[in-house]
């Protein structure tokens, strides 16, 4: 699992049948402190999140399981909206 910020939406009229009816969002992975960490990815929204929210994302086979179709064309799925996150920075390695 990883943390990201929803930065946009994606609309694809023509897509694989396993994605029909799915809401697709563009998510920017973030490091601790909300700094961008890598390239944005497209994730299927399984919980009703929206632009600007900080979310919890699963990838790979876990993402396909969440959609209810283990053969779906999904590589990332949003599975939670983060309300708060506390980090003890003294425990982080420099």
């Amino acid at each position: 699992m990883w943390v990201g910020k929803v930065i946009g939406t994606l609309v694809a009229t023509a897509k694989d049948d396993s994605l029909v009816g799915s809401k697709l969002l563009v998510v920017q992975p973030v490091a601790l402190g909300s700094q961008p960490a890598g390239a944005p990815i497209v994730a299927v929204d399984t919980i009703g999140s929206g632009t600007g929210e900080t979310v919890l994302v699963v990838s790979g086979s876990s993402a396909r399981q969440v959609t209810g179709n283990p053969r779906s064309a999904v590589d990332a799925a949003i599975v939670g909206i983060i309300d708060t996150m506390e980090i003890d920075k003294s425990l982080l390695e420099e």
Side-chain angles (χ1 to χ4, degrees), residues 35-84:
Q35 298 302 315
I41 60 97
V42 175
V44 170
D45 180 32
T46 65
I47 57 164
S49 57
T51 303
E53 292 186 299
T54 302
V55 294
L56 189 59
V57 181
V58 293
S59 300
S61 62
S62 296
R64 289 185 289 281
Q65 292 296 324
V66 170
T67 66
N69 178 0
R71 294 184 177 190
S72 64
V74 173
D75 190 47
I78 298 169
V79 295
I81 299 171
I82 297 173
D83 297 316
T84 62

